Structure formats: C-alpha cells, structure tokens
Amino acid sequence: MTEFNRIFSADNEKIKLYRKLTDDKKARRKENKFTIEGARLVSDAAAEAIELHSVFFTESATEKYGEALELLFKTYPQKIFSIISEELAKELSETKMPQGIFAVCSMPNRDKAQTYSKIKKGSRVLILDNIQDPGNMGTMLRTADACGIDCVVLCGCCDIYNPKTVRSAMGSIMRVEAVTDDIENAVSEMKLKGLPVFAAVISDTARSLTDCDFSHGGAVMIGNEGNGLSDYDAALADIPLTIKMHGTINSLNAAMAAGIIMWELSKTSE
C-alpha cells in the first residue's frame, strides 16, 4: 500500500479542524467546509466531484472498504490522505459503529440567483419554513432527491451541514439544489416563475392534497415541526392544502408529511 501520512494525536491541526467543523456551524460557514463520515458518503462526494481537503482512514478500513478507498486514491492527490489510529477514529466518530473513514470537504456551490433562474413553469419546489430538527431536514432532502424535486428553499431552517443532517440525507445533500432565502422573497420568486404556491396546513377548509392540481408543477410550503406555518406565512400562498387523515390523528411528523406531499407533487409534471 502507498505510504500515507500517519496521525495518532488528537492535537494534529487537521484533526482539530475536523472536530471544529463537526461541532461549530460558524466555523463551517467561515471555512465553507463541512465533515462527512463513512465509505458511502465519501464515495458520494467523489462521485459528485466535491472537493476533498482531508481524508482520514484506519488500517482496518482499507480491508473493509478497500474498493471505495482505491477509487479515492485514484481521484484525489495523495497529500490529502492520512491513516489514523482506531482510538482516534472512535473519538472522531458520530456513530456507534464507526467505519473508520472521515473527510473534510467543500460545500457545494449554492448560488440562489443561478438556482432560481432554472425554475420554470412545471418545476417542483419545496419551501421549508423554520425546520429545526437536523434529522427531519436530512430526511426531507433525501426524499426530495428521490422524488426529483427541482429545488428546496430553506427559510430560517437549521444548518443543512449539521452532521446529523448530512448522515440522514445519505448523500442527497450533495445532489439536491438547496438554497437559503427569506420566505416572502421565496414565495414571490415562485409566483414570478408562474408556479402555484401551496401552504401545507391543518385545516378542515383547506384543499385535500389528493385534489390539488400539480400538473403544471408547484411550490409547497412546509412549516416548523411543532407549530407548522404561521398564519402570516400561510397567507402568502395561493392555495392552502392539507393531508386528510382518519380517526383522531390530525397531524404527522413534518418529514413524513413532506414526503407524502413530495410524492404527490412528483407524480404529474409538464
């Protein structure tokens, strides 16, 4: 095997940066970098041509995930790779069963103006308002990827580069067009593009999801996990929609509701 740099100390500058980026949102924004863990996520980053700045792996990882690592070795310069001890891998890991592969990578370019310029009649957009749970956010991004959603707009939401979000998204964070905006401007942009804007609410008077016409695309607003959309934000939409339910249940987990809505949104499009 190629002779790689070896790191065994937690005081190593590269390791300290990895930890800082994992723990601190401000550091991630300042450096424009985030951390990923596991063979699948690192391979996804390579597949999407994401710039990797540092890759750490244990010797046991070369035995279990040799094929994934060999691809990385062929794709990126040798200087970014370092072998770390099993003990250090356990300290870095955010999981109970670490695979022993970690990386620091650049955030994908998320230019709002460029992304909005691609939206047109027939596009399918998810507008997330004040989503705060990283796991929910990751699940929504993964579902958006699976359903072919054209754009996800984040309005006052948690950091999508939070390690929990990154793990939950399972690589989709590198593929989904996701931009940040304030909700008023986001809704205004969608209407300018000719998209009907729907607000997901709990209401007997709202239109049933199954009765909504998404044949010309649309943008759907999903609100905060605990409080949903505020009355003010919901009023920005053209049409309130609701998921009709049976029995005494009147609400769903935000990620579950978003998934059902995205499935309906993706079924018909110009």
Side-chain angles (χ1 to χ4, degrees):
M1 185 174 70
T2 304
E3 188 61 34
F4 292 106
N5 177 49
R6 291 177 178 267
I7 299 175
F8 299 100
S9 172
D11 290 328
N12 178 275
E13 289 303 315
K14 288 184 177 181
I15 297 297
K16 288 166 70 174
L17 176 60
Y18 183 95
R19 282 179 154 167
K20 189 174 183 180
L21 293 173
T22 299
D23 297 336
D24 190 344
K25 174 183 175 180
K26 290 183 179 179
R28 291 193 289 269
R29 293 299 174 184
K30 179 181 178 181
E31 299 289 339
N32 201 40
K33 299 180 181 72
F34 68 108
T35 60
I36 52 178
E37 177 182 350
R40 170 69 182 275
L41 282 179
V42 177
S43 296
D44 281 347
E48 296 300 320
I50 301 293
E51 183 179 6
L52 299 184
H53 298 273
S54 300
V55 178
F56 313 109
F57 60 95
T58 61
E59 290 192 2
S60 64
T62 63
E63 299 173 8
K64 295 180 180 179
Y65 310 105
E67 186 175 339
L69 284 169
E70 283 297 330
L71 178 60
L72 294 176
F73 298 155
K74 293 177 182 178
T75 307
Y76 296 94
Q78 180 181 335
K79 65 182 180 180
I80 75 168
F81 297 98
S82 299
I83 297 176
I84 60 175
S85 66
E86 299 290 342
E87 292 74 17
L88 190 51
K90 289 178 182 178
E91 291 181 26
L92 293 181
S93 181
E94 294 281 309
T95 67
K96 292 181 179 180
M97 300 290 288
Q99 295 181 357
I101 303 177
F102 310 84
V104 171
C105 55
S106 291
M107 294 179 180
N109 179 36
R110 301 188 187 279
D111 183 83
K112 182 171 66 177
Q114 185 178 33
T115 298
Y116 279 171
S117 70
K118 300 175 185 177
I119 296 173
K120 58 186 183 300
K121 188 177 181 180
S123 292
R124 296 159 293 181
V125 178
L126 191 68
I127 301 175
L128 300 180
D129 184 23
N130 198 31
I131 299 298
Q132 295 304 310
D133 183 88
N136 279 341
M137 175 64 75
T139 299
M140 291 179 187
L141 292 172
R142 187 179 180 188
T143 307
D145 190 13
C147 290
I149 298 302
D150 296 296
C151 176
V152 178
V153 187
L154 312 169
C155 306
C157 295
C158 63
D159 181 19
I160 64 171
Y161 297 108
N162 180 297
K164 291 182 180 179
T165 302
V166 174
R167 286 199 307 276
S168 182
M170 293 288 289
S172 293
I173 198 169
M174 302 169 199
R175 295 184 290 270
V176 172
E177 292 273 5
V179 297
T180 59
D181 201 353
D182 66 79
I183 196 159
E184 288 186 345
N185 188 67
V187 170
S188 176
E189 287 284 348
M190 298 308 120
K191 291 182 178 182
L192 286 172
K193 299 292 185 179
L195 290 182
V197 179
F198 300 83
V201 297
I202 300 172
S203 171
D204 292 335
T205 60
R207 186 177 301 179
S208 174
L209 172 63
T210 54
D211 292 333
C212 291
D213 180 10
F214 296 128
S215 60
H216 300 294
V220 181
M221 302 161 60
I222 305 287
N224 174 266
E225 293 93 343
N227 302 312
L229 292 168
S230 69
D231 291 342
Y232 178 84
D233 289 348
L236 297 172
D238 300 306
I239 303 165
L241 70 77
T242 192
I243 300 172
K244 299 293 185 181
M245 303 181 203
H246 295 280
T248 58
I249 301 297
N250 66 359
S251 66
L252 294 171
N253 167 275
M256 177 64 75
I260 293 170
I261 291 169
M262 283 188 275
W263 171 249
E264 289 294 329
L265 186 59
S266 70
K267 284 164 64 175
T268 55
S269 175
E270 285 191 338

